[in-house]
């Protein structure tokens, strides 16, 4: 009997290893308007996951974009939530973690990057590196995530390709290696030269939303000069030779260490360069990797299932008032109906209706492997950062909250709607749509919304009204800086009275100090040098949050 079990264990281990080997998981980081949602759509188009790509427009009767689902997103033509898109391309299973494109939602992007093994940095060829891209790049660097760069909008007037490479190296300290090189730009963008195969890929414009047709020729093929203007081709070859002499070597280990970025040129809107990018990316990208936990590094090939919650979302399907916890699978094989341990509470939970998500569409999933993301029905038991596991206890590192910069009282003008108001506030806090703070004066029951940007507050009001039927009013507080007190309430008591700041509690009953400006913060630091303050909330484990 034991021989049979050993054979079965061996087969399961082989199946797991094969599934991990097939998977690639990545997030796209960019500044708003760099074309992130368009690139996402085109990758889905090439993966055969959709038949026609819909361009993102704030108005107009175009096809709705697959990855944007919230009503406000459709009205404004922006991405303000994260979704997960899983599709197969050739023999690879791709998990694309779609991140919010709007800068006010960087917190949501930080959480999504915690679940990503690779990042694609999208740049506008005319604008180069932009503030939001730099900010998100720092998060990738903190997590040592490999970065692949796609320089988009080459079909429009832009900066010189060599200048764009220099900027990446000078400003991010990241060595660029151009995988392909553009022939022309703007109206004269004809295609790209693959530096590794010395093959030229020429593109012709496709019908809107369809795959572009590609023609591949050797760089020495006489036909090439009949199809591309000589001066464009000569300039591209000359620049490429300059890179061969002066540029770095392509080193996959350096890519995986986050030190070297493969660079691709193209235009997502016209589909130029999307397929060559996808093919090369899948070849070079990191497979699902080991994750840091309380028990050391957890290898994806560990037999027992483990995963962590990196995102919660309420009401993705307004008809069912549902709440979904997004779980990144880190090790082992996930199976439908399996019973797992919830690390924070110690409870056993049966996961009966796991879902595979694709934008707003979902299907019940029977199994999932490391690198995959599954959606679990969340009746209020999961918090962001929670670990689920089978076998020996494991707890992954939590996901930190970052310092908000805008603070407003959230008032409920209709006392008879308090029950729905409370439900909405608690569920939106749970999913991290906004941070919730409370006054230390127990008689002041109204919550304080704390956010990185104004749009986050508008989204909370919009969702309270549309999803919970509750009107609300915002009353701004005149603060711009928040700091957590590292030593908790006892450290604050030792200091005694403090001036020019307001003390509030966060959802885990920890003291947070609010300041009008950096000057007031520095004043407190000078007066009380021993008081330790942090701009990142301590990671929570084993504590239940306060509900309204």
């Amino acid at each position: 009997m034991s021989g049979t079990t050993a054979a079965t264990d061996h087969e399961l281990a082989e199946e797991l290893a094969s599934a991990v080997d097939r998977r690639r998981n990545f997030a796209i980081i960019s500044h708003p308007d760099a074309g992130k949602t368009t690139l996402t759509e085109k990758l889905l188009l090439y993966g055969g996951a959709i038949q026609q790509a819909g361009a993102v427009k704030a108005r107009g009767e175009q096809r709705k974009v697959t990855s944007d689902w919230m009503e406000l997103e459709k009205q404004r033509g922006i991405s303000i939530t994260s979704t997960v898109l899983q599709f197969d391309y050739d023999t690879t299973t791709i998990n694309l973690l779609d991140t919010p494109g709007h800068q006010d939602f960087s917190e949501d992007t930080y959480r999504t990057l915690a679940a990503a093994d690779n990042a694609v940095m999208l740049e506008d060829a005319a604008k180069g590196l932009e503030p939001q891209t730099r900010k998100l790049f720092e998060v990738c660097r903190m997590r040592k995530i490999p970065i692949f760069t796609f320089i988009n909008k080459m079909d429009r007037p832009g900066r010189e390709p060599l200048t764009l490479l220099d900027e990446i190296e000078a400003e991010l300290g990241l060595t660029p290696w151009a995988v392909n090189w553009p022939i022309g730009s703007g109206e004269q963008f004809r295609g790209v030269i693959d530096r590794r195969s010395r093959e030229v890929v020429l593109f012709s414009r496709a019908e809107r939303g369809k795959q572009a047709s590609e023609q591949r020729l050797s760089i020495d093929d006489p036909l090439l000069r009949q199809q591309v203007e000589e001066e464009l081709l000569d300039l591209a070859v000359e620049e490429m030779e300059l890179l061969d002499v002066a540029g770095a070597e392509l080193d996959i280990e350096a890519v995986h260490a986050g030190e070297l970025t493969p660079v691709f040129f193209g235009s997502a809107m016209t589909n130029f360069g999307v397929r060559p990018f996808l093919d090369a990316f899948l070849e070079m990208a990191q497979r699902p990797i080991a994750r840091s936990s309380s028990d050391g590094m957890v290898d994806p090939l560990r037999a027992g299932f483990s995963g962590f919650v990196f995102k919660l979302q309420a009401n993705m399907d307004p008809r069912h008032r549902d709440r979904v916890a997004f779980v990144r699978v880190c090790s082992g094989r996930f199976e439908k109906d399996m019973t797992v341990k919830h690390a924070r509470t110690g409870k056993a939970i049966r996961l009966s209706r796991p879902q595979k998500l694709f934008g707003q569409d979902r299907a019940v999933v029977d199994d999932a492997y490391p690198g995959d993301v599954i959606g679990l029905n969340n009746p209020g038991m999961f918090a962001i950062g929670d670990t689920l596991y089978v076998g020996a206890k494991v707890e992954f590192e939590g996901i930190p909250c970052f310092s908000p910069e805008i603070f407003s009282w959230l008032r409920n003008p209709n006392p008879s709607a308090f029950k729905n108001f409370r439900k909405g506030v608690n569920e939106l806090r749970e999913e991290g749509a906004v941070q919730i703070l409370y006054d230390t004066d127990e008689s002041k029951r109204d919550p304080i919304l704390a956010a990185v940007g104004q749009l986050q507050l508008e989204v909370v009001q919009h969702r309270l009204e549309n999803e919970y039927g509750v009107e609300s009013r915002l009353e701004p507080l005149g603060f711009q800086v928040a700091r957590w007190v590292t030593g908790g309430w006892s450290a604050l008591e030792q200091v005694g009275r403090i001036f020019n700041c307001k003390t509030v509690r966060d959802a885990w009953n920890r003291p947070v100090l609010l300041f009008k400006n950096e000057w007031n913060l520095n004043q407190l630091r000078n007066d009380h040098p021993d008081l330790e303050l942090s701009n990142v909330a301590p990671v929570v484990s084993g504590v239940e949050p306060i509900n309204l």
Side-chain angles (χ1 to χ4, degrees):
M1 182 70 195
S2 60
T4 317
T5 310
T8 312
D9 287 348
H10 180 67
E11 282 163 17
L12 288 173
E14 278 195 346
E15 182 195 327
L16 180 60
S18 162
V20 169
D21 206 45
R22 272 200 317 276
R23 277 161 171 75
R24 300 291 183 279
N25 157 314
F26 71 100
I28 301 177
I29 60 171
S30 78
H31 195 79
D33 299 328
K36 182 182 66 66
T37 306
T38 308
L39 178 63
T40 301
E41 287 284 300
K42 298 306 168 74
L43 293 172
L44 299 178
L45 179 70
Y46 280 99
I50 54 174
Q51 299 312 307
Q52 189 172 1
V56 189
K57 291 285 175 207
R59 292 182 288 283
E61 286 305 304
Q62 285 180 308
R63 288 175 56 80
K64 292 295 182 212
V65 171
T66 305
S67 55
D68 292 345
W69 59 267
M70 194 194 287
E71 197 52 48
L72 199 63
E73 294 181 294
K74 290 171 184 171
Q75 289 169 19
R76 300 203 183 187
I78 52 173
S79 300
I80 51 180
T81 52
S82 304
T83 51
V84 182
L85 305 154
Q86 187 188 65
F87 58 99
D88 289 322
Y89 177 76
D90 287 345
T91 57
T92 309
T93 298
I94 298 169
N95 287 289
L96 199 171
L97 306 174
D98 188 28
T99 57
H102 199 282
Q103 63 214 33
D104 287 1
F105 293 84
S106 45
E107 185 92 9
D108 206 5
T109 309
Y110 296 142
R111 292 193 283 259
T112 302
L113 286 171
D117 294 315
N118 303 278
V120 172
M121 181 167 75
L122 185 64
E123 266 192 48
D124 181 323
K127 296 175 183 169
L129 290 172
E130 295 179 85
Q132 178 72 355
T133 321
R134 294 168 207 264
K135 207 167 166 185
L136 296 170
F137 165 76
E138 288 306 327
V139 179
C140 293
R141 167 159 280 172
M142 207 163 74
R143 297 189 169 277
K144 293 189 165 60
I145 298 174
I147 292 177
F148 296 79
T149 302
F150 186 87
I151 294 178
N152 193 22
K153 304 189 183 180
M154 286 299 296
D155 58 323
R156 300 183 193 178
R159 288 160 63 183
E160 291 294 325
L162 287 169
T163 309
L164 292 165
L165 294 192
D166 286 345
E167 183 182 50
I168 291 170
E169 186 151 31
E171 299 205 17
L172 301 182
L174 190 61
T175 307
W177 198 88
V179 178
N180 59 30
W181 197 250
I183 303 170
S185 65
E187 286 291 315
Q188 294 185 308
F189 182 45
R190 302 287 178 254
V192 293
I193 306 171
D194 186 318
R195 282 182 66 201
R196 296 179 299 167
S197 66
R198 315 298 280 184
E199 195 176 38
V200 177
V201 187
L202 299 178
F203 305 107
S204 55
R205 286 177 186 266
E207 223 185 293
R208 191 178 188 90
K210 301 287 187 199
Q211 298 187 21
S213 56
E214 296 167 14
Q215 187 183 0
R216 289 175 178 264
L217 298 166
S218 160
I219 202 163
D220 304 316
D221 193 319
L223 270 177
L224 185 58
R225 294 191 176 265
Q226 293 172 26
Q227 303 208 33
V228 177
E229 298 89 322
E230 204 143 316
E231 65 275 16
L232 291 181
L233 192 59
D234 288 345
L235 179 64
V237 170
E238 192 183 308
E239 288 178 332
M240 215 169 65
E241 284 170 354
L242 190 69
L243 287 178
D244 290 344
V245 174
E249 294 290 311
L250 177 61
D251 175 352
I252 295 298
E253 279 183 23
V255 172
H256 290 178
E259 294 161 6
L260 185 142
T261 180
V263 180
F264 303 82
F265 292 87
S267 160
M269 185 56 85
T270 57
N271 293 330
F272 288 12
V274 177
R275 188 195 295 278
F277 159 70
L278 186 56
D279 288 339
F281 168 76
L282 294 178
E283 181 195 325
M284 297 181 197
Q286 196 166 236
R287 288 159 180 73
I289 54 164
R291 296 253 150 190
S292 181
S293 79
S294 55
D295 201 31
M297 297 303 281
V298 175
D299 193 285
L301 301 181
R302 170 188 188 262
F305 160 79
S306 70
F308 66 90
V309 177
F310 68 92
K311 176 180 173 57
L312 298 170
Q313 187 75 57
N315 305 323
M316 282 183 74
D317 183 346
R319 290 166 307 183
H320 295 122
R321 314 306 267 156
D322 63 340
R323 292 149 89 192
V324 176
F326 289 74
V327 175
R328 150 75 199 231
V329 181
C330 295
S331 72
R333 178 176 177 228
F334 170 87
E335 293 173 62
K336 190 174 93 166
D337 290 330
M338 78 191 308
T339 298
V340 301
K341 264 294 190 51
H342 185 250
R344 179 166 52 86
T345 61
K347 290 178 181 167
I349 303 170
R350 184 164 170 257
L351 304 177
S352 55
R353 278 192 62 77
Q355 296 163 342
K356 186 168 85 172
L357 300 115
F358 187 86
Q360 199 175 4
D361 303 326
R362 41 264 238 354
V364 174
V365 66
D366 291 321
D367 54 23
Y369 295 91
D372 290 347
V373 171
I374 47 173
L376 300 176
N377 186 32
N378 176 28
M381 68 178 76
F382 299 125
I384 287 166
D386 277 357
T387 297
L388 305 175
Y389 67 94
V390 169
K393 181 172 180 180
V394 58
E395 192 157 11
F396 294 104
E397 288 178 336
I399 300 170
C401 290
F402 291 81
S403 178
E405 293 159 24
I406 295 178
F407 307 87
S408 281
W409 289 108
L410 183 69
R411 309 288 192 197
N412 169 26
N414 182 1
S416 64
F418 181 70
K419 196 173 168 189
N420 278 5
F421 177 75
R422 180 173 61 190
K423 182 174 194 271
V425 168
N426 289 338
E427 289 188 4
L428 293 175
R429 179 210 45 83
E430 198 177 83
E431 71 173 64
V434 70
Q435 291 182 47
I436 304 278
L437 305 171
Y438 300 95
D439 202 295
T440 49
D441 179 347
E442 297 281 343
S443 66
K444 292 182 179 172
R445 294 286 307 278
D446 289 332
I448 298 165
L449 298 192
V452 175
Q454 187 62 35
L455 186 57
Q456 275 180 287
L457 303 185
E458 289 175 31
V459 166
V460 167
Q461 283 195 292
H462 176 88
R463 292 184 63 186
L464 281 172
E465 190 168 347
N466 283 273
E467 296 170 20
Y468 299 92
V470 174
E471 275 184 60
S472 61
R473 280 202 328 266
L474 286 175
E475 232 173 81
L477 278 90
F479 300 103
Q480 293 178 348
V481 180
R483 292 292 181 269
W484 279 266
V485 179
T486 307
W489 293 104
S490 56
L492 204 53
E493 278 163 24
Q494 283 172 13
V495 169
R497 237 176 123 196
I498 48 178
F499 300 94
N500 294 329
C501 74
K502 180 177 177 62
T503 306
V504 294
R505 301 177 296 152
D506 73 1
W508 280 269
N509 197 26
R510 299 172 300 196
V512 184
L513 303 182
L514 305 185
F515 301 89
K516 284 191 165 58
N517 48 42
E518 290 281 344
W519 192 85
N520 286 149
L521 167 62
N522 291 332
Q523 197 180 20
L524 178 76
R525 284 199 163 127
N526 292 335
D527 293 347
H528 303 285
D530 295 337
L531 184 65
E532 280 187 59
L533 302 175
S534 169
N535 63 350
V536 177
V539 172
V540 187
S541 181
V543 183
E544 289 301 314
I546 302 166
N547 278 327
L548 179 64

